[in-house]
Amino acid sequence: MTGSTFTQTPCYTLGDWDNKAAVRVRKDDYRLPEDLEQQLWVRDWFPPAFVPYIEHPLIKAAGRSIVQRLEANHLVYFLDYTTLLEHRVVNRSVETIVHGELDVTIPNMMKTAALQLYTDEGYHALFSNEVAEQVAAMYGIGDRQTPRRIERLLGMIDKIHSKHRPLAWFLMGFVSETIIAKELLAITRESLVSTVYRMLRNHLEDEARHSRYFSEVFQFLWAVLAPPQRDQAARMLLEIIGLYFEPDASWLMSSLASVGFDEQSSRLIIADLLQPDAHIQRLRSGTVSTFAAMKKARFFDNEHNRQLFSQAGFIDG
Ligand SMILES: [Fe+2]
Ligand SMILES: [Fe+2]
């Protein structure tokens, strides 16, 4: 075996999991800091770059305490979303690998890594919920509706014939795990409340390993799928990727209402976010690792797949 071949060989592991995974080695607690009040003079609950309407003149005019409350709303929403996603989507996806639901022979190493990943996600849900509860209690955030993305993903599964569901679950995990690392990377660059930063950084370090693992498993699976399954998977991927980047207009409206904006002002504030172009832009910048893995699996070598994705505007024609 040549050196270059060796480096390209997938390993289907989470690397040095015992000495790297947050659940194994990070003993941090996730209580809010004692000097929270001082920290909030200069730090954010959530990166302003991830509250896309924060630069809107109506928000700017409302002042710092309104911005801070909107960021707190966003943080709680994001963490509630994470907790649900880890349990209901990612770990459900991992189950298809562990329990032979995909009708392919899974190598032992791949199965062990899947069991480790499942454990990681359980821990991420635990600390995400812990921080969400503290911030929600602090601001009296009572209306914790299920994020639209979760409802859309679960709704899609309901509509799929039972024999294709394991594949759909797997693909949802693959898409989620290859976009989350990039989302978290952008988040942790910002100046955040120390507990939030620590939590997101610990999460990110695990997710970098998960993203690599899911990319490898996708390539493995794609190589053994029969052509009709590949066609089915291509259509499902198009739908899944599209809905991962849809805005949650109903939640945004309720978040803005919680700080006193009326319906007309709120609609003005989120108008740009709801444009189809904005959806495509978010999608293209968030799916770099997802599309890289699909390219490696030779997904786009198929002319039909390439057309499907370029017609949707997801890739260049
Ligand atoms: Fe996670
Ligand atoms: Fe993950």
Side-chain angles (χ1 to χ4, degrees):
M1 183 180 284
T2 66
S4 65
T5 309
F6 182 76
T7 53
Q8 284 168 13
T9 303
C11 55
Y12 308 126
T13 73
L14 295 188
D16 190 9
W17 186 77
D18 258 327
N19 295 304
K20 293 271 173 65
V23 68
R24 304 292 287 161
V25 296
R26 298 272 184 221
K27 302 282 186 204
D28 299 310
D29 75 65
Y30 297 99
R31 276 173 300 193
L32 293 177
E34 283 178 8
D35 64 344
L36 178 63
E37 216 176 305
Q38 286 97 308
Q39 286 200 19
L40 284 173
W41 292 341
V42 288
R43 296 184 185 209
D44 293 294
W45 281 116
F46 203 63
F50 275 68
V51 187
Y53 51 82
I54 213 94
E55 295 293 322
H56 194 281
L58 287 171
I59 304 276
K60 283 195 143 178
R64 170 106 182 126
S65 71
I66 295 290
V67 168
Q68 209 155 58
R69 171 61 199 265
L70 288 171
E71 287 175 359
N73 288 352
H74 255 268
L75 176 65
V76 172
Y77 176 83
F78 177 78
L79 295 176
D80 284 348
Y81 163 74
T82 302
T83 305
L84 280 164
L85 184 82
E86 304 289 38
H87 279 187
R88 299 266 168 86
V89 179
V90 181
N91 274 352
R92 182 65 193 86
S93 173
V94 171
E95 286 175 12
T96 67
I97 302 170
V98 174
H99 299 293
E101 293 179 56
L102 296 168
D103 285 336
V104 295
T105 305
I106 302 290
N108 272 341
M109 268 160 68
M110 186 187 286
K111 184 173 169 179
T112 302
L115 286 159
Q116 290 167 337
L117 199 152
Y118 191 97
T119 311
D120 286 346
E121 303 301 21
Y123 186 49
H124 299 163
L126 174 68
F127 63 51
S128 297
N129 181 67
E130 196 176 332
V131 174
E133 293 299 346
Q134 292 173 82
V135 182
M138 189 177 152
Y139 287 99
I141 300 172
D143 183 19
R144 312 257 295 267
Q145 50 184 281
T146 303
R148 177 181 151 88
R149 200 189 289 180
I150 300 286
E151 279 180 346
R152 297 272 285 136
L153 289 167
L154 300 182
M156 180 182 162
I157 289 285
D158 283 345
K159 283 185 276 162
I160 288 173
H161 191 284
S162 56
K163 73 174 178 196
H164 297 304
R165 278 189 195 161
L167 184 57
W169 280 122
F170 170 77
L171 295 173
M172 281 183 189
F174 161 66
V175 174
S176 178
E177 291 292 273
T178 48
I179 63 176
I180 193 173
K182 187 155 189 280
E183 271 179 358
L184 288 171
L185 188 64
I187 283 173
T188 50
R189 283 200 201 110
E190 309 274 341
S191 166
L192 300 174
V193 169
S194 55
T195 307
V196 176
Y197 174 76
R198 199 165 58 239
M199 173 197 60
L200 294 174
R201 190 201 54 205
N202 289 350
H203 196 162
L204 170 70
E205 287 175 7
D206 283 345
E207 290 308 333
R209 283 183 286 277
H210 295 184
S211 178
R212 220 168 20 243
Y213 170 78
F214 258 94
S215 297
E216 288 182 357
V217 179
F218 178 81
Q219 288 163 61
F220 169 86
L221 191 68
W222 196 257
V224 296
L225 284 182
Q229 284 178 300
R230 286 186 180 183
D231 289 344
Q232 178 81 20
R235 287 191 297 273
M236 292 196 286
L237 274 169
L238 189 80
E239 185 174 351
I240 293 166
I241 291 170
L243 62 85
Y244 262 101
F245 294 90
E246 283 177 2
D248 190 342
S250 140
W251 177 78
L252 286 165
M253 293 292 285
S254 71
S255 175
L256 289 163
S258 79
V259 296
F261 286 106
D262 62 20
E263 192 178 333
Q264 200 186 2
S265 308
S266 299
R267 289 204 183 283
L268 276 175
I269 291 168
I270 65 169
D272 287 349
L273 271 178
L274 307 184
Q275 298 301 318
D277 279 2
H279 175 243
I280 292 292
Q281 222 176 333
R282 286 193 296 274
L283 186 151
R284 281 183 169 226
S285 83
T287 48
V288 174
S289 305
T290 315
F291 287 161
M294 287 160 66
K295 216 172 273 174
K296 262 187 164 175
R298 311 188 68 174
F299 176 93
F300 293 112
D301 288 6
N302 177 303
E303 181 58 22
H304 177 71
N305 292 347
R306 229 174 41 73
Q307 264 184 22
L308 197 64
F309 277 67
S310 68
Q311 274 165 10
F314 293 5
I315 59 167
D316 290 330

